[in-house]
Amino acid sequence: MSSFIPGFNNTLDPKAQFYLELAEQCAALLQGQRNLISNTANVSSLVYHGLRETPTREGKPVNWVGFYLADAKKPAVLALGPFQGKPACTEIAFGRGVCGTAASTSKSIVVKDVHDFPGHISCDPASKSEVVVPLKAPNGKVHGVFDIDAS
């Protein structure tokens, strides 16, 4: 539950408050739903529209939010999953680009300027920065990545 109460002195700055509320909305969307496609589609949409509409991101427009999921038929390949934004690359090998590197290292990556990232894959030339978070099972196996691009 959020600590934000309209009209009272709030303990969180607006940016922290926004992300707390976004996380709560994600949790509510996922509550009781076990379908991977439904969940990733809804989370992509919620985060994309939330980031585009919040004043805390003014001047840093988000242009793509989505998932790349491990392809069961092609080991070490990420396949395009649900997303919001312009059309994207349909497959990315583990270790290639920001998404593939996050998948192969099992570590989140924040890239302020994608042109400075060796091997960056340019699906949308408008993208200038990127955040990629690996999706890991309890055993540590990477099942995909969550990707956010901004122009």
Side-chain angles (χ1 to χ4, degrees), residues 92-93 95-101 114-122 130:
I92 298 174
R96 187 163 179 257
V98 182
C99 289
T101 301
V114 295
H115 298 72
D116 292 339
F117 190 89
H120 173 255
I121 301 167
S122 180
E130 189 168 4

Side-chain angles (χ1 to χ4, degrees), residues 70-84:
D71 189 330
K73 295 178 183 178
K74 295 181 181 178
V77 171
L78 297 169
L80 179 63
F83 70 93
Q84 298 284 308

Side-chain angles (χ1 to χ4, degrees), residues 8-32:
F8 290 89
N9 288 329
N10 297 297
T11 58
L12 297 176
D13 66 67
K15 185 176 179 180
Q17 185 64 42
F18 166 77
Y19 286 108
L20 175 64
E21 290 173 359
L22 189 63
E24 289 173 346
Q25 291 169 7
C26 279
L29 272 176
L30 301 176
Q31 185 69 38

Side-chain angles (χ1 to χ4, degrees), residues 48 52 61-65 84-86 124 126-128 149-151:
Y48 178 81
R52 288 182 67 86
V62 169
N63 61 320
W64 200 92
V65 173
Q84 298 284 308
K86 290 183 179 180
D124 180 355
S127 294
K128 303 285 186 246
D149 294 5
S151 54

Side-chain angles (χ1 to χ4, degrees), residues 4-149:
F4 183 80
I5 303 171
F8 290 89
N9 288 329
N10 297 297
T11 58
L12 297 176
D13 66 67
K15 185 176 179 180
Q17 185 64 42
F18 166 77
Y19 286 108
L20 175 64
E21 290 173 359
L22 189 63
E24 289 173 346
Q25 291 169 7
C26 279
L29 272 176
L30 301 176
Q31 185 69 38
Q33 178 55 261
R34 302 291 296 163
N35 184 280
L36 177 66
I37 301 302
S38 295
N39 286 339
T40 53
N42 272 334
V43 169
S44 295
S45 180
L46 176 71
V47 173
Y48 178 81
H49 290 287
L51 289 173
R52 288 182 67 86
E53 296 166 8
T54 181
T56 65
R57 294 220 21 105
E58 193 170 327
K60 299 177 256 176
V62 169
N63 61 320
W64 200 92
V65 173
F67 292 86
Y68 279 93
L69 304 171
D71 189 330
K73 295 178 183 178
K74 295 181 181 178
V77 171
L78 297 169
L80 179 63
F83 70 93
Q84 298 284 308
K86 290 183 179 180
C89 304
T90 57
E91 291 185 345
I92 298 174
F94 275 50
R96 187 163 179 257
V98 182
C99 289
T101 301
S104 66
T105 62
S106 297
K107 293 182 180 176
S108 296
I109 301 175
V110 177
V111 180
K112 292 186 181 201
D113 184 346
V114 295
H115 298 72
D116 292 339
F117 190 89
H120 173 255
I121 301 167
S122 180
C123 295
D124 180 355
S127 294
K128 303 285 186 246
S129 61
E130 189 168 4
V131 175
V132 180
V133 179
L135 308 173
K136 297 189 277 188
N139 67 3
K141 182 178 179 183
V142 173
H143 289 280
V145 298
F146 182 55
D147 182 17
I148 301 173
D149 294 5

